[in-house]
Structure formats: C-alpha cells, structure tokens
Amino acid sequence: MSVFEQKGSEAVSNRAMPGMTHNTLPLLHEVRHALERLLRTGESTIIDLRAIPFGPGDEERLLSLLGEGEVAATLDALGRTTVRESRFSGVWIVDHYNSEAERIAFQLEVIEIPALLRAQTEDMYQSLGALDSVLNAEMHGPE
C-alpha cells in the first residue's frame, strides 16, 4: 500500500517504480530541510545531483515532483546553463553544459536567487563606463 502526501492539488506517492533507487523521497526530504534552514538562518544549500546514484526514471521523477515555477533563465557562456525555479519558491534547478553539450554540473540550489543570476560587481563597473561613453557621445554628438 502506498502512502500519499497531499501537495496543493497534486498527490505525491512514495511508492517506487521498478528499477528506481529510492533516492527521490530522501532528496525531497533533504530539500525540505534545506529550505527550512534557509528560512531560519539564511544559509543556502547546494545539492550535487550528479553525485546521486539515480536509477532509470529517478531523475525524471524528481524533476516532475519539483515541477516548474515562474522564473527560468538561460545563460550562454562557455556552454549553455539553465536555471529554473521549481514550483517550490527558493528551490532552483541548475543544469550546466560545456561547449560540447556535455553535462558538467547538475544541482539543486536552495537559495533566494542563484549566484549565476546576480550581476557581478566588476561587470557593473564595466557597464557604468560603457554607459558613460554612450551618454558622452550623445551629449557631444559626433566629433
């Protein structure tokens, strides 16, 4: 007999499918504790999903249970990276690929916003200089 936990309008079963490693439910518990810790202390958590021994269908089941939230971003720098909010605010799915389209990192980040999405101070200084140049050119016209 399977046990169900109601989450909104979706029911989540802890009964494993044949061939699964049973890592999905413990991972969801780990995410739950990480989210509680983030709320209580401000401490973020990164869970390296590449280090988890998933069986056939485990990764898909985990991603299905996490669902999709309202925010998604794609970065193209030395390969493609996708950052997606799960349906649980503060729980992010970060998937990194290199320039040969090989997965090099796959993580859950429990954080307000992943560092990859934050503007870097050095980049902002460069942007300030570039904006000053645009404004200067517009104010003084072509020379």
Side-chain angles (χ1 to χ4, degrees), residues 7 25-47 90-91 110-111:
K7 293 287 186 185
L25 191 59
L27 269 171
L28 289 176
H29 279 286
E30 186 174 346
V31 168
R32 187 244 178 254
H33 292 296
L35 187 56
E36 180 181 39
R37 187 171 44 253
L38 176 65
L39 289 166
R40 196 172 15 88
T41 69
E43 179 185 344
S44 62
T45 302
I46 295 176
I47 300 169
V91 180
V110 182
I111 191 168

Side-chain angles (χ1 to χ4, degrees), residues 106-127:
F106 186 43
Q107 305 168 324
L108 293 180
E109 291 191 28
V110 182
I111 191 168
E112 290 176 359
I113 187 163
L116 281 172
L117 298 180
R118 294 181 182 269
Q120 301 300 307
T121 302
E122 183 178 312
D123 294 341
M124 289 188 287
Y125 276 114
Q126 289 174 358
S127 293

Side-chain angles (χ1 to χ4, degrees), residues 80-99:
R80 179 171 289 255
T81 299
T82 58
V83 179
R84 290 187 298 115
E85 180 186 40
S86 75
R87 69 182 173 121
F88 304 104
S89 183
V91 180
W92 300 83
I93 301 157
V94 182
D95 207 356
H96 300 282
Y97 291 84
N98 65 17
S99 57

